[in-house]
Amino acid sequence: MAELNWIPVKEGDETEYLEVAFGDDGHVYIRENTEPDNVVVTTDKNWDAFALGVKAGEFDHFVEGLE
């Protein structure tokens, strides 16, 4: 895998969090910081659809009751 710039996705001082990297190959890479060798890969197109869905509130039911 090419060298990727991993971006931590976390709030505050969390010790376990997701990391996302955008490859030059048109793929988006997602991993947990505690298991960096276990990487999920998707396409830019799928990532954009997911991000738009989050922005539109399509996944709000997954976080109901969480603070």
Side-chain angles (χ1 to χ4, degrees):
M1 186 180 320
E3 186 68 29
L4 296 169
N5 180 29
W6 291 98
I7 303 165
V9 182
K10 65 179 187 169
E11 291 186 50
D13 295 330
E14 295 174 335
T15 57
E16 293 184 22
Y17 50 87
L18 293 179
E19 296 177 314
V20 178
F22 299 90
D24 292 334
D25 58 358
H27 289 95
V28 178
Y29 300 84
I30 306 163
R31 69 182 185 184
E32 294 182 32
N33 71 309
T34 57
E35 294 185 47
D37 294 331
N38 196 7
V39 178
V40 175
V41 181
T42 190
T43 64
D44 285 341
K45 184 178 177 181
N46 286 340
W47 177 262
D48 290 345
F50 171 74
L52 288 172
V54 169
K55 190 173 181 178
E58 293 178 18
F59 304 102
D60 288 355
H61 62 283
F62 288 113
V63 295
E64 287 177 3
L66 295 179
E67 293 184 30

